[in-house]
Amino acid sequence: MAIRDTDVQIAVIARYGPPLSEVAAQVRAAVASLVPGLRLDVHIDDIQIDDDHAPDTAAGGGSGGGTAESDRVGAQ
């Protein structure tokens, strides 16, 4: 996390499942009261995939690598 004069940058690793926009909204809601008036930029740097959702690499189902997505929405 980086706190600047006008914004806060937050990087997280999300669990596989919920929509990434929902994860970013939850992080933003948790932090908003701590930094009133600052824009909150939430960056989802990776997704943690548990064994139940991991691709079957033995059958050539993929690498199992993570994904990155950024969700940037100003604080209300």
Side-chain angles (χ1 to χ4, degrees), residues 4-8 31-40 74-76:
R4 301 183 180 134
D5 291 337
T6 59
D7 66 320
V8 177
V31 176
S33 66
L34 301 174
V35 290
L38 297 181
R39 185 182 73 229
L40 300 175
Q76 301 292 323

Side-chain angles (χ1 to χ4, degrees), residues 16 49-55:
Y16 179 83
I49 300 175
D50 60 25
D51 290 339
D52 292 339
H53 296 99

Side-chain angles (χ1 to χ4, degrees), residues 36-69:
L38 297 181
R39 185 182 73 229
L40 300 175
D41 294 335
V42 177
H43 302 271
I44 300 187
D45 286 348
D46 204 352
I47 298 175
Q48 180 181 3
I49 300 175
D50 60 25
D51 290 339
D52 292 339
H53 296 99
D56 183 4
T57 56
S63 66
T67 303
E69 182 169 315

Side-chain angles (χ1 to χ4, degrees), residues 9-36:
Q9 302 283 322
I10 303 167
V12 298
I13 297 174
R15 289 184 187 260
Y16 179 83
L20 297 180
S21 59
E22 188 176 303
V23 173
Q26 290 174 353
V27 171
R28 200 174 292 108
V31 176
S33 66
L34 301 174
V35 290

